[in-house]
Amino acid sequence: MTYKDKILANRIYLVLIALFIASLVTSNLIFQKFFYWYPFYLEVFDVKLFEVSVGLLPYPITFLITDILSEIYGKKKANEAVIAGIFASFFSLCIIYVSQNVPATSWSPVNDSTFSEVFGATPLAVFASMLAYLFAQFIDIRVYHFWKTFTKGKHLWLRNNFSTFSSQFIDTLTVLILLCAFNIIKWENFWGLLISGVLFKIVIAALDTPILYIVVHSFRTRFRLNRNDEINDITLIGLDNEITHIGTKNLK
């Protein structure tokens, strides 16, 4: 890779990390609003199919991004994104907790009760999401790389969907157990929300497969990568060495 290619690859990596963290934190903040999507009318355990939280809209993006990172930048870089997401979620939890405990002024457009109603359950939701997210994302990355190694880099659709299906089930199951345990959601809605949530995520995961193919093809074409090539730490270390060499040369 040329020096310009390495600079571009590093910038794209930072953009992907930013999108990943923004999607994760946003999904935690908006989760209390539920919406419906009825491609067909069906009830599962007294819950209409696809009555799900709006937090599910940005959340699948995080799995798409970790798949892109796993495919192009390697397992280590994908794990780094997961760790960054944990710190971002914890930091947002701290900010919300402090904001909730400072008194609103008499003229504040949003008073204390309204703020608590919207964000009151957010710290618990973030905590639940962080635990579920930790399990699901690491499992997603491990399963993804298992299938990548097993298929010798072939069948991108298989590792994308298999890794996402298994991790999304674990994520939904863990979040719902914790939210029901904290009395944020009633246990009577557990099975209906679990099935609706998992099926919704599976549909989204299947729909994002063409996007993954387009992105991976664009990367491989732009950076002249073979099927199993990755832009890993060795490449980026080479970038650091080139920058250091250029800086030293300019000082002479």
Side-chain angles (χ1 to χ4, degrees):
M1 293 178 67
T2 65
Y3 173 74
K4 289 184 177 180
D5 286 344
K6 293 173 185 177
I7 289 287
L8 178 60
N10 193 54
R11 287 176 177 171
I12 293 175
Y13 174 74
L14 293 176
V15 170
L16 289 173
I17 292 292
L19 292 174
F20 177 86
I21 292 174
S23 299
L24 178 66
V25 173
T26 302
S27 68
N28 291 331
L29 295 177
I30 65 176
F31 86 100
Q32 288 197 86
K33 179 179 179 179
F34 284 74
F35 74 102
Y36 63 87
W37 174 51
Y38 298 152
F40 42 83
Y41 187 87
L42 180 66
E43 286 192 0
V44 181
F45 293 98
D46 297 324
V47 174
K48 291 185 179 65
L49 191 64
F50 299 137
E51 282 192 351
V52 293
S53 167
V54 293
L56 293 185
L57 295 177
Y59 196 63
I61 297 174
T62 64
F63 289 88
L64 173 61
I65 292 176
T66 52
D67 285 352
I68 294 172
L69 293 175
S70 293
E71 185 70 23
I72 301 299
Y73 291 89
K75 184 177 180 179
K76 182 178 179 181
K77 289 296 182 183
N79 284 329
E80 287 177 357
V82 174
I83 294 171
I86 293 173
F87 280 108
S89 297
F90 181 75
F91 185 65
S92 67
L93 187 153
C94 293
I95 293 174
I96 292 168
Y97 181 79
V98 171
S99 301
Q100 193 173 348
N101 285 277
V102 295
T105 62
S106 59
W107 48 265
S108 176
V110 178
N111 57 34
D112 289 328
S113 61
T114 302
F115 188 91
S116 295
E117 184 178 355
V118 176
F119 294 107
T122 299
L124 292 177
V126 172
F127 175 72
S129 177
M130 283 173 61
L131 292 179
Y133 158 85
L134 182 63
F135 291 133
Q137 285 287 8
F138 280 124
I139 288 173
D140 180 76
I141 293 169
R142 286 180 177 273
V143 172
Y144 188 94
H145 280 274
F146 167 79
W147 284 108
K148 184 177 182 181
T149 302
F150 184 79
T151 60
K152 298 179 181 179
K154 300 178 181 178
H155 310 305
L156 176 60
W157 64 270
L158 186 146
R159 55 183 175 273
N160 171 52
N161 287 285
F162 273 36
S163 63
T164 301
F165 292 170
S166 57
S167 59
Q168 293 283 28
F169 174 77
I170 292 171
D171 173 75
T172 307
L173 177 65
T174 306
V175 167
L176 285 175
I177 288 175
L178 291 171
L179 291 180
C180 288
F182 290 136
N183 294 319
I184 297 175
I185 293 176
K186 295 180 180 179
W187 280 105
E188 62 193 55
N189 295 328
F190 175 82
W191 288 108
L193 290 175
L194 175 64
I195 294 172
S196 290
V198 171
L199 288 178
F200 183 81
K201 290 177 178 180
I202 287 175
V203 170
I204 298 300
L207 292 176
D208 75 22
T209 301
I211 299 175
L212 181 63
Y213 267 90
I214 293 171
V215 172
V216 169
H217 176 74
S218 299
F219 266 97
R220 287 175 178 167
T221 302
R222 175 61 182 80
F223 297 108
R224 297 177 293 280
L225 301 174
N226 294 321
R227 177 177 292 162
N228 283 320
D229 288 348
E230 295 174 349
I231 305 173
N232 51 30
D233 278 339
I234 295 175
T235 303
L236 297 181
I237 288 171
L239 171 60
D240 292 338
N241 291 337
E242 287 187 41
I243 293 173
T244 303
H245 175 71
I246 292 171
T248 304
K249 184 177 179 180
N250 290 336
L251 291 174
K252 292 181 180 179

